[in-house]
Amino acid sequence: MIVSHKHKFIFIKTEKTAGTSLEIALSEHCGEDDIITEISKKDEMARKDAGYRSAQNYHIPISKYKKIDFAKLLIQGQRASFYNHMAAEEVRELLGPDVWGRYYKFCFDRNPWDKFVSWYAWKNRDNKYSSMKDFYQKGMAGKVKGFDLYTIGGRLAVDDVFKYEEMDVALKTITKKIGLKKELKMPDFIAKGGVRKERKHYSAIVDEEILASIDVFAAREIKLLGYSRAN
């Protein structure tokens, strides 16, 4: 996730929505005081090679520590930090109501049935699961982070939730809203790309039992963003 004091925006990063690629793209426009959280070593190298800012300013000031943060620091030597896929509620608490209220807040979400296929491909890149059915039956389908990251108490906490499927239009809108002089563009490489081998429509590879289950556990984002199995 990113908190840009330079452009006064907060990017809440959801899962399987090209979040890392977008984070890299946004890094090009960040200033020295902005908060940029860590990504994988491979993607961090790509960001560095592109000449963009790397992870910075993500450690939380001691003044913001809770008891558990002090305990982790003393026992494990682990500093409290802003982190990848951080929930809006946590970010708001750390930034305070003034910054949270003034800054433009946005994120992306995705057709939940298609997101399931992408999530399965990512989590099964080491062939841990014997099949998509096995993945589903072990309770993994609903673990992908989305709606709960950009809502607080079930209510929308950001200004815009863009659709992954409408990325080009979204990038133009974000460019205008955060006042960039140069249009925001995704990097030439795809972060975490090449994992999903199966490119058929989800309806051709996901069975009805799983699709029906997704209807239920993704009902909130389906309603919010107007998704349907016809998308």
Side-chain angles (χ1 to χ4, degrees), residues 198-218:
E198 179 58 79
R199 290 295 170 181
K200 293 180 181 178
H201 191 268
Y202 64 82
S203 61
I205 55 178
V206 183
D207 72 29
E208 177 58 32
E209 180 186 359
I210 299 175
L211 292 174
S213 179
I214 295 170
D215 292 347
V216 176
F217 68 68

Side-chain angles (χ1 to χ4, degrees), residues 31-87:
E32 63 181 10
D33 296 323
D34 293 351
I35 298 168
I36 304 173
T37 58
E38 294 180 296
I39 51 181
S40 73
K41 290 183 179 179
K42 179 182 177 181
D43 292 326
E44 201 66 80
M45 284 298 297
R47 177 157 63 180
K48 183 178 180 181
D49 289 344
Y52 304 162
R53 289 186 179 275
S54 298
Q56 62 177 31
N57 304 322
Y58 54 87
H59 290 307
I60 295 169
I62 297 291
S63 61
K64 299 280 188 179
Y65 272 31
K66 299 177 181 178
K67 289 182 179 179
I68 190 170
D69 297 323
F70 282 112
K72 287 182 178 180
L73 180 62
L74 292 172
I75 298 171
Q76 303 174 6
Q78 180 181 329
R79 295 184 63 179
S81 302
F82 288 89
Y83 60 90
N84 229 355
H85 307 303
M86 193 171 187

